[in-house]
Amino acid sequence: MTDTMGFDFNPEAVILGGDDFPSHSIPLGILRGCDRIVCCDGAANQCEEQGLVPWRIVGDGDSISPDVRRKFDSIIRKIPEQETNDQTKAVKYLSEHGVHSIAIVGATGRREDHTIGNISLLHEYLNMDLNVRMYTDSGMFVACRNDMHFRCPEGASVSIFSLGAKRMHSEGLAYQLYDFDRLWQGTLNNAVGNSFSISCSGDYIVFINYENRKIRE
């Protein structure tokens, strides 16, 4: 049975990263609609500035302001190891506490290297058997395995980043998929209607734009 996925998501927890605070209504709605906001270290400063209340603050604790540290001392979970970033520390903390459905916001925008790293980590979370989606101010990233069906705005721009998937085939995209051997080869596609399907064996990351922003003819 093929799973269906769209922008709508009711996660058990939302992780707020320390990059650009979301401004689009979709990530903002997900963030403000969740009772469990987990801030990645200094993201707690932004959370406080925006009038939101963190549920937990996870990280190495090196970028939390003194005022925020004093106010939320009881919910800070300091994890000093440097083998993983604060985003992954937050994901692992939630997984260890029985949370498997997670949205990530505020994880892109300030540094391109951090952005690429944070997006690539979605595959690690898929391998942890977690349902994790990343929402930016332009669209949604999600790591997938095997066959999937996606709902989207009609004509939305879509990019697929293969992680070694085989026998890739699509329905509802302007340009047919194939077994990509370069990371860029599945980018700059478009949905023909308001949904599309991918069939394959293996893993890949999908990006879907919130609006219809057709990139090429």
Side-chain angles (χ1 to χ4, degrees):
M1 183 177 181
T2 302
D3 291 331
T4 298
M5 182 180 300
F7 296 141
D8 53 311
F9 192 33
N10 186 27
E12 298 170 87
V14 175
I15 294 173
L16 176 63
D19 287 328
D20 288 349
F21 193 87
S23 59
H24 192 281
S25 61
I26 291 179
L28 275 176
I30 290 171
L31 178 62
R32 291 173 174 163
C34 187
D35 292 332
R36 289 194 278 193
I37 299 175
V38 179
C39 295
C40 294
D41 206 30
N45 303 330
Q46 297 185 73
C47 193
E48 168 75 355
E49 290 169 2
Q50 295 294 326
L52 298 170
V53 179
W55 177 69
R56 295 289 186 273
I57 301 169
V58 176
D60 53 22
D62 62 355
S63 56
I64 306 172
S65 73
D67 288 345
V68 170
R69 187 187 303 276
R70 283 191 293 270
K71 183 174 183 178
F72 297 110
D73 181 69
S74 65
I75 61 168
I76 295 173
R77 300 295 181 265
K78 190 171 181 179
I79 305 174
E81 60 89 1
Q82 297 297 316
E83 295 301 313
T84 57
N85 66 2
D86 288 339
Q87 174 180 290
T88 298
K89 290 173 185 175
V91 169
K92 288 183 175 179
Y93 175 86
L94 287 169
S95 177
E96 290 166 359
H97 289 79
V99 177
H100 296 90
S101 172
I102 304 166
I104 299 174
V105 302
T108 62
R110 292 192 179 179
R111 283 182 52 174
E112 289 83 356
D113 53 345
H114 286 177
T115 293
I116 293 171
N118 287 341
I119 294 168
S120 69
L121 282 164
L122 293 174
H123 188 227
E124 301 295 323
Y125 311 149
L126 178 68
N127 289 330
M128 293 167 63
D129 293 324
L130 302 176
N131 179 11
V132 181
R133 307 181 195 182
M134 181 180 289
Y135 292 83
T136 74
D137 279 338
S138 57
M140 178 187 74
F141 285 95
V142 61
C144 302
R145 178 166 292 146
N146 303 331
D147 299 353
M148 289 292 298
H149 183 76
F150 301 88
R151 300 185 305 275
C152 65
E154 185 172 356
S157 58
V158 175
S159 288
I160 296 96
F161 303 90
S162 176
L163 302 172
K166 301 299 182 184
R167 298 181 295 280
M168 294 198 83
H169 181 82
S170 60
E171 298 288 343
L173 292 177
Y175 305 97
Q176 183 56 249
L177 306 186
Y178 56 94
D179 288 0
F180 307 127
D181 56 14
R182 299 288 188 276
L183 197 61
W184 58 268
Q185 288 174 323
T187 62
L188 309 184
N189 214 322
N190 296 100
V192 175
N194 58 10
S195 68
F196 64 94
S197 297
I198 295 174
S199 60
C200 69
S201 176
D203 300 348
Y204 51 99
I205 292 176
V206 173
F207 173 80
I208 307 173
N209 204 281
Y210 296 137
E211 285 88 28
N212 178 343
R213 296 182 181 175
K214 194 168 185 179
I215 294 172
R216 65 184 185 183
E217 297 299 329

